[in-house]
Amino acid sequence: MDNSLPPADELVLVDRELARLDARRSQLLARRAWLLRVLYAPASSAPGPFPSAPGARPTPSGPRPPVADSTPRSAQNVLLTLGGTLLTIAAIAFTLVSWGSMGIGGRSVVLFVVTSAALAAPVALLRRSLVSTAESVAALGLVLMVLDAYALHRVALPETDGLGYAAVAAAVLAGAWTAYGSALSRLRIPLPVAVVAGQLPLPLGVLAAGGGPTVFAWAALGTAAADGAVILWARPAAVRITAAVGATALGGWALLTGGWLSLASPWSGAPLLLAAAALTLYAAWRLPTVAVAASVLAGLATVAAAGGLLRPAVPTDWTVPVYVLCGLALASMWRLSPAMAGDGAAEEAGRRLPGGVRLGLAGAGAGVAALGVVWALPPVAVGLLGPPARTTEVWSGEHAGRALTSYPGTAVLVLAVAAAVLAAVPRLWARCGALALVWALLTALPVSLGLPYAATLALQLLTTAAALAYAVRPGPLTRGLRRPAPAEGPATPEPATTAPAAAGAPWGAWAPSRPRPQAPTEPGTVLGWIAYAGGLASALSAVALALDVREATFTALGALLALLVGVAVLGAGARRVVAACAAVLTATGLVVAVAAAGGFEDHWTALALLLVPAATAAIGAKARPVALPVEITGAVVALPAFALAAARPAFLALALALGGVIAAATAVRPERRRFASWTAAVLFLLATWVRLAVWGVTTPEAYTLPVTVPALVVGFLRRRRDREASSWTAYGPGLAATLLPSLVAAWTDPEWPRPLALGVAALVVTLLGARFRLQALLVLGGSVLALDGLHELAPYVVQAVGALPRWLPPALAGLLLLAVGATYEQRLRDARRLRDRVARMR
């Protein structure tokens, strides 16, 4: 459409387009109806050709087509399938049950006549285009041929070996069915059935000859090769699919047998594996759709064959490295791509080798190498998780005199080779894997080589230092990497920069805008995070290992504190924040270690731990980028300090007070004032309560009034600044902090001073609420006053009720209900007026 047209002209164009679309839809609906009549109408009333125009006349039809099978096809196929199945069952029953009641001549005549009729009938049926009926009769004929072969063995050749006869019969039937299916090409059953029969001669012949697993595997491989030829050169899809299933089953059996033989008898399994690999590779070359999967199987077979031949010549510990080296040699096939080839011969080979084959072979080799890396991971797990999993006491020194559990040293070799190979690949994922493998190598080295305690701890600290240093400044692994291109992000609608060409064109304002590119991920960032995670993991393992010896503990914690502080100073972003928080925790460990070495009791250790939040509060005032997380970590450290001091209430009160001092000092800073001031108030209040408990004070008002008084002052000041503030927000918490605990104490107090004082206070609060129209004061004061008065009058009420006759209380209750019911509407209006009045209060 032309957006520059006036609205009237544009409306004419729109109406014209809609009319054209309606005409086209009507034409397509008519065509659909004609096609349905062609498909489902009987032959005698077959419609003529579809008219080319709405007013065209149908042309006279040609010669009437031959009579077709009954329709619809679904019902026809069901009937034919049932009929063929019943005939097959009858033939089997006749052969197995009624065969013995006839002589040799009668048997031969019956079999010959029935089989010949079943095989000849499809010829006449196909001439009349009864294809489905011909398929059913042909299937019956094929089953009769199998029964003929069985009957021939039972009558004429009973002494013949069953497996040998079955192999010959399968071969004869496969040839006969192939010829029959080729002659009657319109039948779809004979050729696939011939392929199925062709799977049996060689394997059955080997079993009949007494061949072992190796010979049977060769027979299966030969049959799979024949199936491959059928797949490559046969035309019917059903034949190719059947041959593919047979080739997969028999070829898989041959590969599994070859893999088992490569472990038990390498010189018997290697030729089988190499032959299977050659056939599979040829199939991958000729069939691009299965090139990758077939090449993977070929590559695995080749590695298994080569590794099986080399395995007996090396020690047991070198078995896995041998397979890994074979896999890496195969994985180097990716370098034959034209983009990666360096010399002319390699470049020419890369052009000749299909991409799917190259990818499959390289993937198979990489998979074998990955399995080797998995085999080498247990020493990594022991080196990393072994120290934290120990159950001995701290500083027991039990593990300092001996090495960790020893593993084969070749595990380290596998990790080193895999890391070197990945480092040579100019891809980010490969460099990330190389960096992770280098860290795993350093972690597994003490376990694989059985290093002593001191060397193990030193190596873990060096690994931590190297990883953290690399996280701050990513090193040579980033060289040679191409910077990723900006990723196309989702298109976001933006305001149109140009005005619509014509007024009233609504789609002009919705012109699509270019998608905004997303910032690519820097390789150094990804590598830095991987190194950072490895460094922190090594740090935790080193600390756990250092806990065996007192001097080692101080050395490890001091070194880690220096490293983490360095990362917090030199690093950037989230890594800097994590390092700062980890440094706080490391400093906490040093404080605990010093207290333990000095023999401090728990309450003195608690006071020492408060040095950590004090230091973080001081650091937070200057180190702005990491101030908040550092201060939060320091505050978290204060919690175990309070827990350690809980056994001595006097020291707990002191610890809480010191915590309040730290929070109050932090509240001096404007950005921390709100949260730190409330924290300081809470800590001071808790310290006061604990001190009162130490002094044996049991009066609840001594605990609640220190909360109520400042809370009411703060609420009063807030109401002066904001007249719209609710009285529940301003005065509710403060009043509830004293009135409710005092009410509970008054109900359990047998003396009169506390209820009297509480009633007076509640009365004053209620009157103030009524005078200044404050809802919180009126509701809380009135409720407490009523409950307090009920508590005081309850004994007299009980005494009076006890003196009355038993029938009087129910009677009074009934009269009260009647009175309320009679004046229900008035009472309801009174209650609503009271509710509205209270609701209008602030």
Side-chain angles (χ1 to χ4, degrees):
M1 295 182 183
D2 189 359
N3 295 343
S4 62
L5 293 176
D9 296 340
E10 188 175 350
L11 180 61
V12 173
L13 289 178
V14 170
D15 291 338
R16 190 175 300 168
E17 288 291 328
L18 291 175
R20 186 180 63 81
L21 291 175
D22 290 339
R24 178 59 176 166
R25 184 175 184 275
S26 300
Q27 183 181 3
L28 292 175
L29 289 175
R31 178 67 177 178
R32 181 178 182 275
W34 183 83
L35 291 173
L36 291 175
R37 289 198 302 272
V38 170
L39 288 175
Y40 297 115
S44 59
S45 60
F50 182 75
S52 58
R57 295 181 179 178
T59 58
S61 59
R64 180 171 296 179
V67 178
D69 288 342
S70 61
T71 57
R73 289 188 174 275
S74 57
Q76 174 194 10
N77 293 335
V78 170
L79 294 176
L80 293 176
T81 302
L82 289 176
T85 303
L86 292 175
L87 289 176
T88 303
I89 294 174
I92 295 174
F94 172 78
T95 304
L96 298 178
V97 178
S98 302
W99 185 259
S101 61
M102 301 180 64
I104 186 64
R107 300 172 187 175
S108 302
V109 170
V110 170
L111 279 176
F112 178 76
V113 171
V114 174
T115 305
S116 300
L119 294 176
V123 179
L125 293 173
L126 289 175
R127 291 176 181 175
R128 302 192 61 179
S129 297
L130 300 173
V131 180
S132 298
T133 307
E135 292 279 2
S136 300
V137 177
L140 175 62
L142 300 181
V143 173
L144 288 175
M145 292 182 69
V146 176
L147 296 177
D148 290 345
Y150 169 75
L152 180 62
H153 177 262
R154 289 292 302 273
V155 175
L157 303 170
E159 303 298 330
T160 307
D161 178 64
L163 288 176
Y165 179 82
V168 175
V172 173
L173 289 176
W177 290 342
T178 301
Y180 185 74
S182 300
L184 302 178
S185 58
R186 297 180 64 184
L187 296 178
R188 294 173 295 179
I189 293 179
L191 290 179
V193 175
V195 173
V196 173
Q199 312 300 311
L200 302 177
L202 282 179
L204 292 180
V206 169
L207 293 177
T214 304
V215 182
F216 184 84
W218 278 105
L221 184 61
T223 306
D227 290 333
V230 172
I231 296 172
L232 292 176
W233 291 301
R235 297 185 62 183
V239 175
R240 294 199 303 270
I241 293 174
T242 307
V245 173
T248 302
L250 295 176
W253 179 266
L255 285 174
L256 292 176
T257 304
W260 171 71
L261 289 174
S262 68
L263 300 176
S265 179
W267 291 101
S268 299
L272 180 62
L273 287 173
L274 292 176
L279 292 175
T280 308
L281 192 61
Y282 180 76
W285 200 297
R286 293 294 304 272
L287 300 173
T289 55
V290 297
V292 176
S295 299
V296 168
L297 292 177
L300 293 176
T302 304
V303 172
L309 293 176
L310 296 176
R311 181 174 52 83
V314 298
T316 304
D317 293 346
W318 286 84
T319 300
V320 174
V322 164
Y323 282 99
V324 170
L325 292 176
C326 294
L328 292 176
L330 188 63
S332 63
M333 294 294 295
W334 71 274
R335 298 186 64 88
L336 294 180
S337 62
M340 301 299 301
D343 54 352
E347 185 175 359
E348 181 63 25
R351 289 197 182 98
R352 287 180 152 183
L353 196 62
V357 175
R358 184 172 59 250
L359 179 61
L361 293 177
V368 173
L371 291 176
V373 171
V374 173
W375 171 83
L377 289 182
V380 181
V382 173
L384 183 65
L385 303 177
R390 294 173 183 172
T391 58
T392 57
E393 295 182 357
V394 176
W395 296 346
S396 63
E398 180 180 354
H399 300 279
R402 59 186 178 88
L404 296 174
T405 305
S406 178
Y407 278 79
T410 51
V412 178
L413 176 63
V414 170
L415 294 175
V417 172
V421 171
L422 288 178
V425 179
R427 296 289 186 273
L428 179 59
W429 62 268
R431 298 293 173 83
C432 293
L435 184 59
L437 289 178
V438 169
W439 171 82
L441 167 65
L442 295 176
T443 305
L445 194 60
V447 179
S448 297
L449 301 183
L451 297 181
Y453 176 83
T456 301
L457 181 59
L459 185 58
Q460 286 190 346
L461 291 176
L462 289 175
T463 302
T464 302
L468 294 179
Y470 189 93
V472 175
R473 295 288 184 271
L477 285 179
T478 57
R479 298 173 186 172
L481 288 178
R482 294 192 298 267
R483 188 178 299 274
E488 294 293 337
T492 56
E494 296 179 353
T497 56
T498 58
W507 48 81
W510 295 94
S513 60
R514 290 186 178 181
R516 296 177 180 176
Q518 298 177 352
T521 302
E522 292 291 339
T525 302
V526 180
L527 293 170
W529 272 112
I530 293 176
Y532 197 61
L536 293 180
S538 296
L540 292 175
S541 181
V543 170
L545 182 63
L547 292 178
D548 279 344
V549 180
R550 177 181 302 181
E551 294 77 7
T553 301
F554 287 102
T555 302
L557 290 175
L560 290 177
L561 181 59
L563 289 173
L564 293 171
V565 170
V567 175
V569 173
L570 301 177
R575 291 195 290 271
R576 183 179 189 180
V577 174
V578 175
C581 297
V584 174
L585 297 178
T586 305
T588 304
L590 271 176
V591 172
V592 174
V594 171
F600 292 178
E601 296 183 11
D602 289 346
H603 54 277
W604 290 111
T605 303
L607 297 180
L609 279 177
L610 291 178
L611 295 174
V612 176
T616 56
I619 294 173
K622 297 181 180 180
R624 294 303 176 91
V626 294
L628 182 60
V630 165
E631 292 175 10
I632 292 175
T633 307
V636 171
V637 172
L639 297 179
F642 298 150
L644 288 174
R648 300 285 294 271
F651 277 90
L652 177 59
L654 178 59
L656 291 171
L658 292 176
V661 171
I662 297 172
T666 306
V668 175
R669 293 156 51 192
E671 69 275 9
R672 300 286 186 267
R673 182 161 300 161
R674 174 173 297 182
F675 180 79
S677 60
W678 281 101
T679 304
V682 170
L683 290 176
F684 283 133
L685 184 63
L686 291 176
T688 304
W689 287 356
V690 173
R691 175 52 62 184
L692 291 174
V694 172
W695 287 340
V697 177
T698 57
T699 304
E701 289 77 11
Y703 297 90
T704 58
L705 285 177
V707 178
T708 297
V709 173
L712 293 177
V713 173
V714 172
F716 176 74
L717 296 176
R718 179 174 181 182
R719 288 273 299 177
R720 289 186 62 183
R721 291 195 306 268
D722 184 11
R723 290 293 181 179
E724 299 297 327
S726 172
S727 62
W728 287 101
T729 305
Y731 304 119
L735 291 175
T738 294
L739 291 179
L740 297 182
S742 298
L743 180 62
V744 174
W747 271 73
T748 59
D749 191 351
E751 303 296 332
W752 61 269
R754 185 192 301 275
L756 178 60
L758 177 62
V760 172
L763 178 61
V764 172
V765 171
T766 304
L767 294 176
L768 289 175
R771 169 64 179 81
F772 296 101
R773 301 179 59 83
L774 298 175
Q775 187 181 105
L777 275 67
L778 183 62
V779 173
L780 284 175
S783 300
V784 172
L785 180 60
L787 293 174
D788 185 64
L790 177 62
H791 171 264
E792 294 303 312
L793 295 177
Y796 303 103
V797 172
V798 172
Q799 184 178 1
V801 171
L804 294 175
R806 293 189 177 183
W807 58 267
L808 189 57
L812 293 176
L815 291 175
L816 178 62
L817 292 177
L818 288 175
V820 172
T823 59
Y824 176 76
E825 294 295 335
Q826 182 63 34
R827 302 287 78 78
L828 187 60
R829 286 194 295 270
D830 294 340
R832 287 173 179 173
R833 282 197 297 268
L834 178 61
R835 183 195 63 185
D836 295 338
R837 290 175 182 174
V838 174
R840 284 195 295 269
M841 296 181 179
R842 296 299 301 171

